[in-house]
Amino acid sequence: MPSVNRFLHKLPVSSCSVSGTMDFDSDAKFIACIPVRDEQAHISLCLEALDGELEGCDAVVLVANGCRDRTVDIAIQRLTLWKRRWLLIDCTWKPGTGSASLARRLAMDVAGHCGASSLLFSVDGDTIVQPGLRNAYMQEFDRGYDLVCGRIGFIASETAGLPEADPAHEAVIREYREMSRFIEALIFPDENNPWPHHGNIGGANFALRADAYQRIGGLPTPPSGEDRALRRLCQAHDLRIRYSDGPRVETSCRLFGRASGGLSDELRRNRTETDPVVDELLEPPEQLLLRLRSRLQFRSASDAQKGDLLKALILPQAAVETVLALPSSAGWQMVEDTSAMLQRTRMRLSDLVEHLPGLRQMLSAVEEAQSENRESLRP
């Protein structure tokens, strides 16, 4: 049984017990990393689906995140019947400190030390992997990708019990998100992800190479949104990211989840509020255009030109010097984090409705400009 103490010293754990059959000399190719909290109604189905999908040489690391129900007992009962290797870490956190991101970090830290050739698969304890997921991931990694983000759907039996969201509201959010992504794809074509693509990362379904995980320094642990924070780290390190339709899961779609700031909160807002806040990545057209144009200028500018651009974006001089010393991708992320002009303000549904005509106009203008550029390059 491996000691996990080396992974706990920076985490606010008050007590921890470990059981299982996995060791750190494991040659497991594909390791499922599962944070779970009070999921006695889902964990058996989650593990049953994994058991049917994973191969004998694969492994599972499950971190029980301060569970207060029978999740741990149910998980151990099922795991002890497996022939493949597994590890269950049952954590109690110091009061007010536990989170899903910390549990996911612990699971991935442990799995990531089992071998540089391992693939770390993030999935949640209320999620059911679909047939073909493992093969779909292996095909993507065989093409050289470092981080692969799969598709996430909802468990059909739970979807039927949800109150219906306003179709008009859903259509506005969907159109605004898709147009924003399309505009970015036109300005910054991504050879790894030809448009259209789903463009999402979710903790319930992504995987990355263990050596890539070590390179970025591990999973960030904000109160929520650790999956998007991980993607930003990968982008800062110029890793190859793929949005794939191949690996699919179905996850719980309840309105009151175990973690704040996640999917359940979004589902509840969209069904119970007349003017809910929306995805924090959505922004007004003029802000989006400023961000994309500035990024385009930054990518091709000399250091002197970058300095002028950063001052125009109102970066403090100390930040300017730091940005110029960083590799381009990491430097641009620092620009976004520190520029007063690029700070995001969370919008509401009513803001999307107001800005939607302007975003449509922007898309038309960008498409026209791209068409003119292509024509000018013809012999």
Side-chain angles (χ1 to χ4, degrees), residues 232 291 294 298 309-310 313 315 319 323 330-340 342-343:
R232 290 196 82 223
R291 187 181 305 279
S294 299
F298 183 85
L309 172 63
L310 300 182
L313 292 174
L315 261 72
V323 167
W332 174 251
Q333 285 198 359
M334 184 174 179
V335 173
E336 289 197 307
D337 290 340
T338 56
S339 167
L342 297 180
Q343 296 308 298

Side-chain angles (χ1 to χ4, degrees), residues 304-361:
Q305 293 170 329
K306 285 180 180 178
D308 293 338
L309 172 63
L310 300 182
K311 290 175 183 176
L313 292 174
I314 316 180
L315 261 72
Q317 183 58 37
V320 170
E321 294 172 1
T322 302
V323 167
L324 294 178
L326 291 171
S328 180
S329 296
W332 174 251
Q333 285 198 359
M334 184 174 179
V335 173
E336 289 197 307
D337 290 340
T338 56
S339 167
M341 297 184 66
L342 297 180
Q343 296 308 298
R344 299 179 189 271
T345 300
R346 196 75 175 263
M347 294 198 295
R348 292 187 174 273
L349 177 64
S350 57
D351 297 314
L352 299 192
V353 174
E354 177 185 349
H355 291 304
L356 198 52
L359 192 65
R360 291 181 183 133
Q361 292 175 0

Side-chain angles (χ1 to χ4, degrees), residues 127-292:
T127 300
I128 301 172
V129 301
Q130 299 301 291
L133 173 138
R134 187 190 189 279
N135 286 340
Y137 268 124
M138 299 307 296
Q139 290 173 12
E140 297 289 13
F141 284 113
D142 285 345
R143 297 185 182 107
Y145 297 111
D146 298 298
L147 169 66
V148 180
C149 310
R151 278 279 191 181
I152 301 175
F154 294 134
I155 298 172
S157 60
E158 295 189 11
T159 304
L162 284 179
E164 187 174 350
D166 187 319
H169 291 178
E170 293 287 287
V172 168
I173 295 172
R174 183 169 54 252
E175 182 182 4
Y176 203 100
R177 180 184 290 116
E178 289 303 301
M179 280 200 297
S180 297
R181 288 175 175 167
F182 187 24
I183 290 169
E184 182 171 2
L186 287 170
I187 296 176
F188 292 98
D190 182 353
E191 64 179 8
N192 297 321
N193 299 285
W195 185 261
H197 57 80
H198 69 75
N200 290 316
I201 182 171
N205 191 18
F206 71 79
L208 77 164
R209 300 180 186 276
D211 56 351
Y213 185 74
Q214 301 300 335
R215 179 179 171 185
I216 65 174
L219 182 76
T221 56
S224 63
E226 70 275 11
D227 40 20
R228 288 181 169 180
L230 173 80
R231 177 172 60 183
R232 290 196 82 223
L233 268 180
C234 290
Q235 291 168 335
H237 285 79
D238 293 316
L239 300 184
R240 293 187 66 196
I241 300 172
R242 172 70 170 166
Y243 301 111
S244 177
D245 288 333
R248 290 177 176 261
V249 304
E250 292 182 355
T251 196
S252 175
C253 55
R254 58 202 166 198
L255 300 187
F256 295 92
R258 305 295 183 259
S260 61
L263 174 63
S264 294
D265 287 356
E266 180 180 352
L267 291 173
R268 186 175 65 255
R269 287 195 303 267
N270 291 348
R271 284 160 176 78
T272 61
E273 299 179 15
T274 57
D275 193 19
V277 294
V278 296
D279 188 339
E280 71 271 11
L281 295 184
L282 300 180
E283 53 190 336
E286 63 275 9
Q287 180 89 359
L288 175 62
L289 186 60
L290 174 64
R291 187 181 305 279
L292 295 177

Side-chain angles (χ1 to χ4, degrees), residues 70-88:
R70 296 189 59 249
T71 296
V72 172
D73 292 338
I74 295 171
I76 289 179
Q77 288 172 10
R78 180 166 287 278
L79 291 169
T80 52
L81 300 176
W82 284 9
K83 293 183 179 179
R84 75 175 51 81
R85 288 158 292 187
W86 59 275
L87 198 67
L88 189 149

